[in-house]
Amino acid sequence: MNPREVPLIFEESVPGRVATRFPDPDVPVVPLEEIIPKDYLRERPPEFPEVSEPEVVRHFTWLSRRNYAVDLGFYPLGSCTMKYNPKINEDAARLPGFSRLHPYAPEELAQGALRLMWELEQLLCEISGMDRVTFQPAAGAHGELTALMMIRAALEDRGERRTKVVVPDSAHGTNPASAAMCGYQVVVVRSDDRGNVDIQHLRQVMDEQVAAFMLTNPNTLGLFEEHILEIEEIVHGYGAFLYLDGANLNAMLGITRPGDQGFDVMHFNLHKTFSTPHGGGGPGAGPVGVKNVLAPYLPVPTVEREGERFYLNYNRPKTIGKIRAFYGNFAVLVRAYAYIRALGGEGLRQVAETAVLNANYLLTLLRPYFDLPYNRLCKHEFVLSGRRQKKEYGVTTRDMAKRLLDYGYHAPTIYFPLIVEEAIMIEPTETETRKTLDAFAEAMRRIAEEAATNPELVRSAPHTTPVKRLDEVQAARNPNLRWRPT
Ligand SMILES: *Cc1c(COP(=O)(O)O)cnc(C)c1O
């Protein structure tokens, strides 16, 4: 079969075909109506596809071969930290003692799981310089919301009702979205021409109505904020909280700590920095770390230790309550724990050093072919611009990203951050070899050359993928997401 023509599994359905046949039961069968009230029963059986076992296996195996993944190749998606995730962490998450534990199991029978959460909290505090961590938020954006809710509660406790949250113009879109969801007015502060927060502008927008400044460091340009200590003074001077979007901690691990830079609160993305596979829509985990000033407001329950015993503490009068069922996505915590323990402090530091080295190496290889709006030593990632190719040859960043698919790579993040025209945001991560980086740089060089010599080839890419260039406007305005039987 041509992998381009995998039919829907419903189209392969043949009435009466089954994957498995069971022998007739040798005990009396109780009719469903006697167990479930009739109102709840379907009138017709659901229209599941009727297929044989080999058809099911082949169908999904073919589909999987049309996909792209970190396990298949280089995935330089900036701001997403698509590092290779060691399989041993999967083994740990699947240990029956963890994977078969019921979330309502009594504490005495869940001591191992509680201990893991307690120890992981200590590890993340050590890494970040925070005092406490909650694991409930299911993702980075959810962590941002949780943190802002804690900030609002702390301000209310002080008898204050502030109305604004400040975010830089380079921020991830989730920052303003979370602030708006929490009921705050979003105020945008500009970046200066070195890619730092524009301090003059920050002074202008700060006042006593600002609840928090949400900062990403290193920011989404991959640059370390050079005025972080000055920013800390300004923000705290107005009694506001300093929030770190710590989705991408890869450049900081073991080198510098947000807590020491003056941040009061932050979120981690365990599914980026700490080795949980992501990209397919989760599950992830976006733990929130706080300094002691915000600890009273943490979601319940917290995990506490008393001698050798671990327990869940629901008795926290100032808590913002629960923000997710149970304790968060537990299996993600197991992976992060295994990852951190396997690497140790030295290993984590090496992760950061190698991530930064790889990014700067790749940047050096690519610099001759693309514009670089902020020409500084980068941290875990860097942002190029395709504006030269657009202006001179009418080839956009989108075209070049599509062309990369023909060379067998996942495309980088494009058109983000918004402050860079025709942005190409590349994050190689620490898990790639020099050979991979060289090969990727060569593909990028060839695309830059094609843009000049054969622009139509790039504009009409991709040519080798199962699905060619999509009409993205049509897909956004008129999504057709459902197959109906004819
Ligand atoms: C990924 C990311 C987020 C959001 O994290 P999710 O887990 O996708 O919600 C926020 N900020 C930055 C800088 C990120 O890279």
Side-chain angles (χ1 to χ4, degrees):
M1 196 199 309
N2 182 337
R4 292 169 194 205
E5 290 156 20
V6 183
L8 293 175
I9 194 145
F10 290 93
E11 293 172 298
E12 297 189 74
S13 181
V14 174
R17 189 170 285 173
V18 292
T20 315
R21 258 179 228 289
F22 295 103
D24 288 337
D26 55 1
V27 291
V29 177
V30 185
L32 267 186
E33 300 78 40
E34 284 179 27
I35 313 170
I36 301 172
K38 202 163 174 303
D39 283 358
Y40 294 126
L41 287 176
R42 290 174 182 274
E43 281 156 21
R44 289 180 292 125
E47 289 172 34
F48 287 136
E50 298 175 79
V51 285
S52 68
E53 181 171 328
E55 283 172 319
V56 175
V57 171
R58 286 176 189 160
H59 178 81
F60 287 105
T61 306
W62 271 116
L63 280 188
S64 74
R65 296 177 95 188
R66 292 162 56 119
N67 213 339
Y68 195 85
V70 175
D71 286 358
L72 283 173
F74 188 44
Y75 206 129
L77 196 64
S79 202
C80 291
T81 315
M82 304 301 285
K83 61 173 78 177
Y84 173 78
N85 309 291
K87 295 291 172 268
I88 186 99
N89 304 335
E90 296 299 318
D91 287 355
R94 281 165 177 71
L95 287 173
F98 290 134
S99 63
R100 303 183 67 180
L101 187 65
H102 194 281
Y104 278 142
E107 282 170 7
E108 307 84 78
L109 300 182
Q111 284 295 303
L114 291 173
R115 175 170 175 181
L116 183 139
M117 286 196 281
W118 189 89
E119 287 189 11
L120 182 59
E121 181 177 347
Q122 310 303 307
L123 293 170
L124 291 185
C125 285
E126 172 71 27
I127 289 167
S128 65
M130 294 287 149
D131 296 319
R132 293 288 324 242
V133 173
T134 174
F135 292 118
Q136 274 188 43
H142 197 197
E144 294 167 20
L145 180 67
T146 305
L148 289 167
M149 288 168 70
M150 285 193 267
I151 287 172
R152 191 174 57 191
L155 288 168
E156 278 172 9
D157 232 14
R158 294 202 315 227
E160 291 182 37
R161 203 172 253 288
R162 300 190 176 208
T163 54
K164 298 190 273 192
V165 165
V166 179
V167 298
D169 56 5
S170 60
H172 195 270
T174 50
N175 292 190
S178 302
M181 271 189 82
C182 203
Y184 287 109
Q185 182 199 333
V186 178
V187 180
V188 176
V189 65
R190 281 192 298 270
S191 304
D192 66 16
D193 53 13
R194 280 183 64 72
N196 294 312
V197 169
D198 183 329
I199 293 287
Q200 289 319 101
H201 195 220
L202 180 66
R203 286 189 200 281
Q204 280 165 27
V205 300
M206 283 303 300
D207 61 29
E208 248 104 53
Q209 281 306 309
V210 174
F213 180 35
M214 299 177 85
L215 184 61
T216 309
N217 193 26
N219 64 21
T220 61
L221 297 165
L223 303 176
F224 192 85
E225 177 54 61
E226 291 170 306
H227 309 299
I228 180 61
L229 298 178
E230 198 177 342
I231 290 171
E232 185 269 327
E233 271 178 36
I234 296 171
V235 171
H236 283 154
Y238 284 97
F241 289 91
L242 188 57
Y243 179 93
L244 173 74
D245 178 336
N248 316 107
L249 272 192
N250 236 27
M252 288 219 238
L253 296 171
I255 294 175
T256 171
R257 308 195 309 169
D260 302 336
Q261 295 165 20
F263 288 97
D264 305 298
V265 48
M266 65 176 288
H267 81 261
F268 307 77
N269 272 33
L270 298 190
H271 48 287
K272 286 179 183 167
T273 317
F274 297 100
S275 172
T276 273
H278 60 295
V288 171
V290 293
K291 287 282 186 60
N292 281 329
V293 276
L294 286 170
Y297 311 98
L298 285 169
V300 280
T302 51
V303 183
E304 310 289 349
R305 176 180 190 161
E306 201 176 87
E308 283 308 294
R309 197 181 146 261
F310 299 88
Y311 67 99
L312 295 168
N313 181 10
Y314 285 88
N315 182 17
R316 300 179 65 87
K318 294 194 170 181
T319 176
I320 58 165
K322 258 188 155 312
I323 48 102
R324 198 182 184 285
F326 304 117
Y327 328 104
N329 285 327
F330 181 74
V332 181
L333 310 185
V334 180
R335 293 187 186 96
Y337 180 84
Y339 179 71
I340 295 170
R341 290 296 301 263
L343 285 170
E346 248 330 286
L348 287 177
R349 194 184 164 96
Q350 260 175 37
V351 165
E353 287 172 352
T354 312
V356 173
L357 180 63
N358 275 1
N360 281 286
Y361 178 71
L362 193 52
L363 172 58
T364 306
L365 293 182
L366 294 178
R367 202 179 346 228
Y369 311 108
F370 300 91
D371 279 5
L372 177 66
Y374 301 94
N375 190 359
R376 278 171 56 186
L377 196 71
C378 70
K379 297 301 172 200
H380 59 294
E381 65 190 354
F382 57 90
V383 182
L384 302 169
S385 170
R387 64 191 169 197
R388 192 194 316 167
Q389 282 76 12
K390 184 177 176 188
K391 184 153 170 276
E392 290 180 17
Y393 316 115
V395 171
T396 64
T397 282
R398 172 170 287 104
D399 298 332
M400 293 189 283
K402 298 279 186 198
R403 182 70 180 136
L404 260 179
L405 308 184
D406 289 334
Y407 283 94
Y409 296 103
H410 194 282
T413 297
I414 56 173
Y415 299 104
F416 175 74
L418 305 177
I419 56 174
V420 174
E421 192 189 342
E422 296 292 310
I424 308 173
M425 182 197 223
I426 296 176
E427 180 180 11
T429 85
E430 74 284 4
T431 56
E432 300 302 333
T433 60
R434 180 167 171 187
K435 188 171 156 214
T436 300
L437 302 181
D438 287 343
F440 175 76
E442 173 58 14
M444 289 288 281
R445 187 196 65 75
R446 281 167 65 174
I447 292 171
E449 191 179 282
E450 287 169 357
T453 57
N454 189 357
E456 195 42 41
L457 177 70
V458 186
R459 267 186 238 130
S460 52
H463 303 281
T464 59
T465 50
V467 177
K468 300 288 179 299
R469 183 73 72 111
L470 297 172
D471 182 338
E472 293 181 23
V473 177
Q474 182 76 357
R477 299 243 167 98
N478 263 325
N480 179 4
L481 305 175
R482 179 149 181 220
W483 178 83
R484 287 170 208 281
T486 44

